[in-house]
């Protein structure tokens, strides 16, 4: 017996707690498990279910990158002469409208465009092995190595033609020199700066050159080879310094693609 606050209490708190614990508690009924028996699907439900499964498994594959280089700049012969005339106006290179190659803008792929620009000489220049190594008949000038790679892939359709890759980020200049010294090539895909550097080493020769194709592809900033800073200067230097002596007999044509 304890006395607390003037009152008497029998038993202890522990006993009361135990008694409290021993009170019967109401047992909650167990939740019944849901019936997972499969309900047979109707024909419409089966069709919808199959469509969902097919849609989930179907993975859209990106189309393979196209290797075709199409003409991104269109102009008649007059416009070509005008653009080139303006570009070379302060140089010794003169563009004669009478000697400009008549290449229709309907030639949208590079292969047919080159053949049309070469005219009757295309079979001889592209179908026979060049006599001299490192001396291409065609040089395709590009703004960058990235664009040159695309052009190189497009030219693989030219049968019996060997294409030289004369641009940076693909081969070192020493490797390109060795390649030109040992390989006869029909076409060279180049950037102006690298082409000039290889001419200085006398590994890239121009005695057989008949056609310079200026790739006029436009980038996101609407820049192309003839208006892009540094690149246009490199191309101008290539033509005026490296090719000037070969223009005397009107043997070399410049075309815009």
């Amino acid at each position: 017996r304890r006395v607390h606050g003037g009152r008497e209490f029998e038993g202890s708190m522990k006993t009361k707690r135990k008694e409290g614990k021993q009170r019967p508690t109401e047992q909650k009924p167990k939740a019944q498990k849901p019936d997972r028996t499969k309900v047979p699907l109707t024909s419409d439900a089966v069709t919808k279910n199959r469509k969902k499964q097919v849609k989930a498994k179907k993975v859209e594959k990106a189309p393979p990158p196209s290797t075709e280089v199409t003409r991104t700049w269109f102009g008649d012969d007059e416009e070509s002469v005008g653009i080139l005339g303006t570009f070379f106006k302060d140089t010794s290179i003169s563009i004669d409208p009478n000697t400009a190659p008549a290449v229709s803008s309907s030639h949208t792929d590079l292969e047919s465009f080159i053949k049309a620009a070469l005219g009757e000489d295309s079979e001889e220049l592209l179908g026979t092995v060049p006599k001299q190594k490192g001396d291409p008949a065609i040089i395709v000038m590009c703004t960058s190595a990235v664009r040159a790679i695309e052009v190189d892939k497009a030219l693989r359709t030219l049968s019996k033609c060997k294409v030289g890759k004369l641009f940076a980020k693909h081969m070192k200049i020493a490797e390109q020199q060795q390649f030109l010294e040992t390989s006869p090539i029909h076409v060279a895909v180049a950037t102006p700066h690298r082409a000039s550097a290889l001419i200085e080493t006398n590994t890239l020769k121009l005695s057989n050159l008949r056609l310079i194709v200026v790739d006029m592809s436009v980038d996101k900033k609407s820049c192309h080879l003839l208006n892009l800073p540094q690149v246009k200067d490199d191309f101008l230097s290539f033509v005026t310094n490296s090719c000037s002596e070969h223009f005397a007999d009107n043997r070399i044509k410049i075309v815009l693609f």
Side-chain angles (χ1 to χ4, degrees):
R1 178 177 293 185
R2 293 183 180 182
V3 178
H4 182 72
R7 295 182 183 180
E8 294 182 357
F9 295 92
E10 290 184 359
S12 63
M13 293 298 292
K14 290 182 180 179
T15 307
K16 287 185 178 182
R17 285 174 186 170
K18 286 181 181 179
E19 289 175 356
K21 286 182 180 179
Q22 290 175 358
R23 288 178 185 176
T25 56
E26 294 181 1
Q27 293 183 355
K28 294 181 179 180
K30 292 182 179 180
Q32 293 182 354
K33 293 182 179 180
D35 186 9
R36 294 184 179 179
T37 307
K38 291 184 179 180
V39 180
L41 298 175
T42 61
S43 59
D44 293 339
V46 170
T47 305
K48 287 181 181 179
N49 192 28
R50 284 178 180 173
K51 284 182 179 180
K52 286 181 180 179
Q53 289 177 357
V54 171
K55 193 174 181 181
K57 290 181 180 179
K58 188 178 180 181
V59 178
E60 292 184 2
K61 293 183 179 180
S66 176
T67 57
E68 183 182 2
V69 175
T70 57
R71 190 171 186 177
T72 53
W73 177 87
F74 291 92
D76 55 20
D77 299 329
E78 235 177 83
E79 189 174 355
S80 300
V81 171
I83 291 172
L84 290 171
T86 303
F87 185 76
F88 292 115
K89 66 179 181 179
D90 296 326
T91 69
S92 60
I93 305 297
S94 61
I95 304 299
D96 185 0
N98 297 321
T99 59
V103 183
S104 172
S105 59
S106 62
H107 296 282
T108 56
D109 65 284
L110 186 55
E111 179 185 350
S112 63
F113 181 86
I114 287 175
K115 289 180 178 178
L118 290 173
E120 296 177 355
D121 299 331
S122 62
E123 290 185 10
E124 181 185 349
L125 293 171
L126 299 176
T128 58
V129 179
K131 296 178 181 179
Q132 195 171 354
K133 295 178 176 65
D135 194 4
I138 304 106
I139 294 180
V140 183
M141 281 294 180
C142 303
T143 53
S144 65
V146 175
R147 178 61 180 173
I149 290 170
E150 294 176 358
V151 171
D152 172 64
K153 289 179 180 178
L155 289 174
R156 290 179 186 176
T157 55
L158 284 169
S159 58
K160 298 180 181 179
C161 285
K162 191 160 189 176
V163 180
K165 304 172 187 178
L166 309 182
F167 45 87
K169 296 182 181 178
H170 183 79
M171 293 173 67
K172 294 180 180 179
I173 191 166
E175 295 173 337
Q176 289 169 340
Q177 288 173 0
Q178 186 179 4
F179 169 77
L180 291 170
E181 288 172 352
T182 57
S183 305
I185 58 174
H186 298 86
V187 184
V189 180
T191 51
H193 185 270
R194 180 54 61 93
S196 298
L198 291 167
I199 288 171
E200 288 178 6
T201 62
N202 201 32
T203 50
L204 176 60
K205 301 172 178 63
L206 303 177
S207 61
N208 192 40
L209 185 62
R210 295 292 183 275
L211 186 67
I212 298 174
V213 180
V214 181
D215 177 41
M216 294 291 286
S217 62
V218 181
D219 62 12
K220 293 179 181 178
K221 297 181 180 179
S222 299
C223 293
H224 51 73
L225 191 142
L226 297 183
N227 67 5
L228 193 64
Q230 187 60 43
V231 178
K232 69 174 183 179
D233 295 336
D234 290 338
F235 177 67
L236 190 62
S237 174
F238 168 79
V239 174
T240 55
N241 297 330
S242 304
C243 303
S244 57
E245 60 181 288
H246 300 286
F247 281 101
D249 56 357
N250 291 326
R251 178 170 51 85
I252 299 177
K253 300 175 183 177
I254 301 178
V255 291
L256 306 181
F257 178 76

